[in-house]
Amino acid sequence: MFFAYPEEWNQRESTHGYGPIRLIWGERAMVAIITIPANQRLEPFHKHPNEQMGVVLEGETTMTIGDETRKLKKGDAYIAPPNVPHGRAATSQTQIRMLEVFIPPREDLVKQAPRSK
Amino acid sequence: MFFAYPEEWNQRESTHGYGPIRLIWGERAMVAIITIPANQRLEPFHKHPNEQMGVVLEGETTMTIGDETRKLKKGDAYIAPPNVPHGRAATSQTQIRMLEVFIPPREDLVKQAPRSK
């Protein structure tokens, strides 16, 4: 199974209370599309041994990674190296859609449900 | 340097003659945004030891991975496991924009120019 239409992606509740996230993963990486509603409350910064990269697909957000904070809009990208704390630094008045990559796949998200066919 | 605005992404010529591709990479993965003009000629199928995942951001395309061929449109995704031949299987009458992930980063693309600050 090499392809996934939107209805074939896995779906999870975000661990950060953001609402559903859509997931696919291979051997080495997981791609997630995360939708965060406008005015969603901030969650504590967090870290994990997975490297994380992301690209903003829609909306605007403010992120902190380590000691660096930046506003991000559509087309902006970030890299959170393994074990570096990161998170949103301000609430957003717009809905945000982000594509995020976790390397390797996040085991906590893989385990929540069986893999897509 | 954890963030990259569009002008800070690296830019390369595609190895498949598709036109410029925008790249960022971390330790473990590379994210590329590839724009393929309408009616772009097909290139030979190819393979590499990097796992590759992709999501269509704009337009429609037809891809073959291994022995499977599918039409893909915005929001559709694919996974090409390491060393599995893949490529576009038909020309497209629309411009296509894809977000692709290579795990690990493609060394051939890293070497073409120095890393962004």
Side-chain angles (χ1 to χ4, degrees), chain A residues 53-55 75 77-79, chain B residues 1 3-15 19-26 29-35 52 98-102 104-117:
Chain A
M53 304 177 69
V55 180
Y78 71 84
I79 300 172
Chain B
M1 159 73 181
F3 297 97
Y5 295 149
E7 65 274 16
E8 296 167 321
W9 291 45
N10 281 280
Q11 190 147 315
R12 302 281 188 282
E13 293 305 309
S14 167
T15 51
I21 61 178
R22 290 168 45 217
L23 294 172
I24 54 167
W25 61 89
M30 167 180 280
V31 172
I33 293 184
I34 299 181
T35 304
Q52 179 175 336
M98 306 272 284
L99 186 148
E100 300 189 326
V101 184
F102 300 99
R106 290 259 308 259
E107 284 298 326
D108 53 333
L109 295 173
V110 170
K111 282 177 184 158
Q112 282 182 34
R115 179 166 180 170
S116 289
K117 340 19 84 190

Side-chain angles (χ1 to χ4, degrees), chain A residues 22-37:
Chain A
R22 289 168 45 218
L23 295 173
I24 54 168
W25 61 89
E27 294 171 28
R28 301 179 188 171
M30 166 180 279
V31 172
I33 293 184
I34 299 181
T35 304
I36 306 173

Side-chain angles (χ1 to χ4, degrees), chain A residues 8 11 19 29 33 49-50 54 58 63-64 69 86 95 100 106:
Chain A
E8 296 168 321
Q11 191 147 314
I33 293 184
N50 319 67
E58 175 193 332
M63 266 190 84
T64 297
T69 298
H86 56 276
Q95 171 174 286
E100 299 190 328
R106 290 259 307 260

